[in-house]
Amino acid sequence: MSHVFTMTPAFLSSLGWSGAAGFTAQALRFATRLLLARVLSPDDFGLFAAATTILSLAGLLQNLGLQSPLINEKFQGSRDMAYRGAQGLLFAVAIILALALCLAAPVFANLYGMPGLTSLLRVLSFSLVITAFMTVPSAALSRKFRFRELAVAEVLSLLAFAATSMACGRWGWGPYALVCAQLLSQWLYASLLLVFSHRGDHWRFGISSHWSPLRPLFAHGGYSGVNQFLALTLTQGDNAFIGSRAGATMLGYYATAYLLGSAAATVVGGVVGRVLYPQLSQHHDNARAFASSYNLGLQLSLCITLPFTALLVMEPHLIVGALFMDKWAPSAMLLPPLAILGLFRLWNMLACAAVEAEGARGAKATALVKLAQVGLMTLCLPAGYRHAETLGASWAMAAVMASGCCAVALRLAVARKMTPARFLKPFLLPSMATLPCVALATLCATAWPAMIMAVTATIATTAFTLRASQNWK
């Protein structure tokens, strides 16, 4: 077996389609947020952010950790039969969780101190039933590297979200503009995935109560589910803490600053991580090719995100002032720590995907690291908030994510016997591209020259990385 990683046509096509969809999706999200900021208040965004935090936890319980095993594991019997059994199980769990969320909505509203959260959660509980029909077709398409269909479904659903939220926002629906748009876009996305997954040799939709083919998945899926729960706690725990301590308005400022600060990291992580996991699973038995695949994904990600993260840290007030109205000015002070937090979450996500591709053993290792991170977060968040309120909590989250990210990356390097030079290789080119951007931002009175330099450096380094990756060692 070759020890050199070369990008296959399927990998290149998947990366291209995921890249196009990811950048288009992020542009749509960002443009929609900018427009909605003019018709909705920070309080509306804070209420919706609190509701989606609770809904994310319910959605994770509904998923049962089956997404990764459905892509990665081999079945003893019919894969189609296993898919139908998984669909039946996910649908049954979704019904139970939706009813439970409706009953528990007043409890969560009291916990957050937001009375309007009760009705919001009850309406959003319908999304659990809708998303139950996303996991299996998405896994079937991802396993076959059919990212073109996933890209089309994602972009169309986001267009529906943008149009619906803007229309309802102008009609004065407040946070329910976001709720209605969320439900419609999820229904469209699930419908398109089901249609696309019927093409070719993927699977035929059906719901079965025959769950015995799923038994091999639960060892991997159990650790994967724990990982997803811990990752969700790390991702949404700060939202829950700030919403309960500072209220809906400050949570709206925090969520807006995080959206801006992590925009590049979110889209790049979604693109590279989505394609990288199936690729790493295929190279599981080839340590050198596995490490090369991971390093390629990391360098591509850093080439795009590092220059822009540096600018967001250095010029937060100028960037927030140029993009948002004056009522969003408090978001500027939160932008530097949240931009750094987004960058470390990107690296953490790629490193965890690489470790989890090893199977149940890797999933167990990442679960232990994330458990330690959650424990550290429970200590650092209150301490940071006591020191400097929301700003202190933001810096505390950045420190927690940095510590866990370094731990997972070092575990990967030791397990794959990566030399220090190979470990540091992905950071060299992005760091060199970022230095001119930092110098221009320091010397110039305006951020535009540095922004132009960041775009130029990103395009040049990304093109160089893709070209060099044809014989990436």
Side-chain angles (χ1 to χ4, degrees):
M1 183 180 291
S2 173
H3 294 296
V4 178
F5 170 64
T6 57
M7 293 196 297
T8 63
F11 182 83
L12 281 172
S13 175
S14 301
L15 192 63
W17 278 106
S18 288
F23 284 107
T24 304
Q26 189 62 31
L28 284 171
R29 288 191 188 98
F30 196 70
T32 304
R33 189 59 172 263
L34 285 176
L35 293 172
L36 286 173
R38 287 158 171 76
V39 295
L40 298 179
S41 68
D43 190 66
D44 294 331
F45 282 108
L47 272 173
F48 184 72
T52 51
T53 298
I54 299 166
L55 198 70
S56 298
L57 176 60
L60 181 60
L61 296 174
Q62 169 204 335
N63 185 267
L64 299 176
L66 290 179
Q67 176 81 31
S68 296
L70 285 171
I71 297 174
N72 196 31
E73 295 292 333
K74 296 180 180 179
F75 297 95
Q76 296 178 350
S78 167
R79 178 173 292 275
D80 191 68
M81 202 63 177
Y83 281 167
R84 293 188 182 192
Q87 184 62 76
L89 180 60
L90 291 170
F91 179 66
V93 172
I95 294 292
I96 296 171
L97 286 174
L99 293 174
L101 185 59
C102 287
L103 295 174
V107 177
F108 288 114
N110 290 332
L111 183 65
Y112 274 88
M114 303 177 187
L117 196 58
T118 300
S119 56
L120 215 65
L121 281 174
R122 285 174 174 167
V123 176
L124 276 173
S125 64
F126 289 102
S127 71
L128 293 172
V129 180
I130 298 172
T131 55
F133 295 97
M134 294 182 187
T135 302
V136 177
S138 176
L141 292 170
S142 297
R143 183 177 176 83
K144 295 291 185 178
F145 287 90
R146 300 305 296 257
F147 289 95
R148 179 176 61 181
E149 287 89 341
L150 289 170
V152 170
E154 182 177 9
V155 171
L156 289 178
S157 64
L158 282 170
L159 285 172
F161 179 89
T164 306
S165 60
M166 283 304 303
C168 295
R170 291 190 178 277
W171 293 338
W173 288 24
Y176 288 94
L178 298 168
V179 171
C180 293
Q182 178 94 331
L183 292 174
L184 179 62
S185 64
Q186 287 181 338
W187 173 82
L188 181 60
Y189 186 67
S191 301
L192 289 172
L193 288 186
L194 288 171
V195 171
F196 291 149
S197 64
H198 280 206
R199 297 180 179 179
D201 56 348
H202 306 309
W203 75 300
R204 299 297 174 187
F205 174 73
I207 296 178
S208 171
S209 59
H210 184 57
W211 298 335
S212 58
L214 301 178
R215 288 174 185 169
L217 302 185
F218 285 116
H220 185 179
Y223 287 122
S224 181
V226 171
N227 264 316
Q228 291 177 24
F229 172 77
L230 294 172
L232 180 67
T233 304
L234 290 169
T235 304
Q236 301 291 342
D238 49 350
N239 284 347
F241 179 83
I242 291 169
S244 60
R245 290 290 186 94
T249 302
M250 184 53 71
L251 180 57
Y253 291 133
Y254 184 88
T256 300
Y258 180 73
L259 175 73
L260 179 58
S262 64
T266 299
V267 63
V268 172
V271 171
V272 177
R274 185 185 300 175
V275 180
L276 191 63
Y277 184 79
Q279 186 75 21
L280 290 172
S281 298
Q282 291 183 4
H283 288 291
H284 174 261
D285 297 326
N286 187 340
R288 191 169 181 181
F290 185 98
S292 297
S293 303
Y294 163 74
N295 281 350
L296 170 62
L298 181 58
Q299 180 165 314
L300 276 173
S301 302
L302 292 176
C303 282
I304 298 171
T305 57
L306 197 56
F308 292 104
T309 300
L311 292 181
L312 292 172
V313 171
M314 298 185 69
E315 299 286 352
H317 293 280
L318 188 147
I319 293 172
V320 171
L323 294 175
F324 296 96
M325 296 187 299
D326 291 340
K327 67 180 180 180
W328 293 96
S331 295
M333 69 174 182
L334 304 174
L335 190 53
L338 293 181
I340 295 172
L341 173 62
L343 184 65
F344 277 111
R345 273 182 175 162
L346 168 65
W347 186 16
N348 186 71
M349 185 271 295
L350 295 177
C352 286
V355 174
E356 285 184 40
E358 299 175 11
R361 184 183 61 178
K364 181 179 180 180
T366 55
L368 291 175
V369 174
K370 287 177 182 176
L371 183 61
Q373 278 184 282
V374 170
L376 189 60
M377 182 183 71
T378 59
L379 296 175
C380 292
L381 263 180
Y385 189 83
R386 284 195 299 270
H387 179 69
E389 295 188 342
T390 306
L391 181 61
S394 303
W395 281 112
M397 276 303 301
V400 169
M401 189 56 61
S403 64
C405 164
C406 293
V408 175
L410 287 173
R411 190 271 179 198
L412 176 66
V414 171
R416 294 293 170 174
K417 300 179 181 178
M418 298 169 64
T419 63
R422 181 180 288 271
F423 180 78
L424 295 174
K425 181 180 178 181
F427 298 92
L428 181 61
L429 184 63
S431 300
M432 292 175 61
T434 303
L435 289 176
C437 305
V438 173
L440 278 177
T442 304
L443 297 174
C444 298
T446 175
W448 290 112
M451 189 68 74
I452 294 171
M453 173 62 75
V455 173
T456 305
T458 294
I459 294 173
T461 53
T462 302
F464 175 82
T465 300
L466 288 172
R467 182 173 181 82
S469 64
Q470 295 297 325
N471 193 29
W472 183 274
K473 298 183 179 180

